[in-house]
Amino acid sequence: MTPEDLATAGLRYEIDGAVATITLDRPASRNSQTPTMWRTLARLGEQIPDEVRVVVLTGEGSTFSAGLDRNLLTPGGGDGQESVAGLLALPDDEVSSTIRAYQDGFVWLSDPRFVSIAVVRGYAIGAGFQLALACDLRVLSEDAQLCMKESALGLVPDLAGTKPLVEAVGYARALEICATARMVGASEAVAIGLALTAVPEAELDTVVTDLVTALTAPLPGAVRETKALLLGAAGRELDEQCRLEREAQTRRFRELAALMTPAE
C-alpha cells in the first residue's frame, strides 16, 4: 500500500520490529471516519506481517475518533469519496455486502496472530467507539468519553461493535449504553470492564509502552495460542474448550522441545 493510499484514507502505518502502529490521521475533523478509511484498514489487516505481535491503534491529536464523517451522510458529500448516503440507492443485498466490506476494516483486529490495543484520548464516538471495541485491549486517558451514538441518529451499531460490547459488559449494560447513546467516562469504562485502565494523558504513552513490552516478552506462539483459546471460550462447551486447551498445549510442548534440541 502506497503512502498516497494511506494519506487519502486519513491513516498512518508504521512497523517497528514486532509492533505495528496505525494512526487515524484526520485531526482537523477529530479523526472522523470514512468508507475509504474502513476499506484501507481492511487492506492493512490483510498485509500485517507474521512477525508483528502487537498492533497499536491510536488517533492523532486530542481525540481518538469522533465517529463517521457526517458529510458522508449527505448525497454528494465527502469531496468525491464513497458516501454512506449512497447506500440508499442500492438494493438490500448490495447494502448488506457493502456494510460487510466496511466491517472487514474492524474485525481483523481480533486476529489471533497479534494482540491489538486501542489507545483512546478524548472522544471515541459511534464508529470510533466500535473501532476501539474491535481491539483486544483498551487503554484510556482520564478525559476519554465513549459513546455509541447510532441510536440517536435512528441507526444501529453495524461495524462489528455489538458483540465485543456485550462480551465486555453484559447484555443489560450494553443495551443501556446503545439505546440511550449516553457518554461513558473513562473511570466508568474501567469499572464495568470496557477498558484496562485510565491514566492521565501525560502518562498514556508510557503505560502503553510498558504494556507492549509485557505482551511481547513471552514466546509468540504462547500468546497467539492463548488468544485463540480465549476468543471463543464463552461460546464453547467445557469439554470442547478442554480439548482445544490440550491440543494447544501439545503444540506448545512440541515447539519448546524443538527449541531445546541442539541443531546437528
Side-chain angles (χ1 to χ4, degrees):
M1 189 175 303
T2 68
E4 290 75 18
D5 292 333
L6 291 167
T8 297
L11 295 169
R12 298 202 312 270
Y13 175 57
E14 303 161 300
I15 294 181
D16 183 6
V19 182
T21 301
I22 298 173
T23 304
L24 310 185
D25 192 18
R26 303 185 73 213
S29 65
R30 299 194 301 166
N31 297 322
S32 61
Q33 298 178 31
T34 67
T36 301
M37 179 183 286
W38 300 333
R39 292 183 185 275
T40 305
L41 283 169
R43 290 170 60 195
L44 284 178
E46 293 171 353
Q47 66 182 50
I48 294 288
D50 285 340
E51 54 269 25
V52 166
R53 300 180 57 186
V54 175
V55 174
V56 176
L57 186 65
T58 188
E60 181 63 32
S62 60
T63 291
F64 178 73
S65 174
L68 176 69
D69 186 335
R70 296 293 184 87
N71 292 323
L72 300 176
L73 293 173
T74 303
D79 297 328
Q81 290 197 34
E82 180 180 353
S83 170
V84 175
L87 292 174
L88 299 176
L90 301 177
D92 288 358
D93 60 336
E94 291 186 32
V95 172
S96 180
S97 64
T98 300
I99 294 174
R100 172 60 186 270
Y102 297 164
Q103 291 170 336
D104 288 343
F106 294 68
V107 297
W108 69 270
L109 287 158
S110 64
D111 190 317
R113 292 183 302 148
F114 48 77
V115 176
S116 52
I117 305 171
V119 183
V120 180
R121 293 176 172 83
Y123 291 98
I125 307 296
F129 189 13
Q130 293 187 77
L131 190 57
L133 284 167
C135 293
D136 299 308
L137 308 173
R138 285 160 291 283
V139 179
L140 314 183
S141 63
E142 289 181 336
D143 67 343
Q145 296 281 331
L146 315 176
C147 177
M148 201 69 87
K149 193 72 171 177
E150 283 76 4
S151 67
L153 303 174
L155 303 171
V156 301
D158 66 341
L159 296 170
T162 55
K163 180 176 172 61
L165 181 61
V166 171
E167 290 174 344
V169 303
Y171 161 76
R173 180 61 72 196
L175 176 61
E176 181 264 334
I177 288 171
C178 291
T180 65
R182 71 174 177 88
M183 292 288 184
V184 178
S187 59
E188 181 186 358
V190 174
I192 64 178
L194 270 176
L196 280 181
T197 189
V199 300
E201 198 279 334
E203 300 175 15
L204 194 57
D205 289 339
T206 299
V207 169
V208 172
T209 297
D210 290 345
L211 179 58
V212 169
T213 299
L215 289 169
T216 53
L219 288 173
V223 177
R224 290 169 182 167
E225 293 275 17
T226 300
K227 178 176 174 178
L229 283 170
L230 295 175
L231 272 173
R236 299 186 190 116
E237 296 294 331
L238 179 60
D239 284 349
E240 181 186 7
Q241 185 72 7
C242 288
R243 175 183 61 80
L244 293 172
E245 288 177 0
R246 295 193 299 270
E247 293 174 355
Q249 194 71 302
T250 300
R251 289 190 291 271
R252 299 306 309 137
F253 284 149
R254 299 300 182 222
E255 181 176 339
L256 291 173
L259 291 172
M260 291 186 291
T261 301
E264 297 183 0

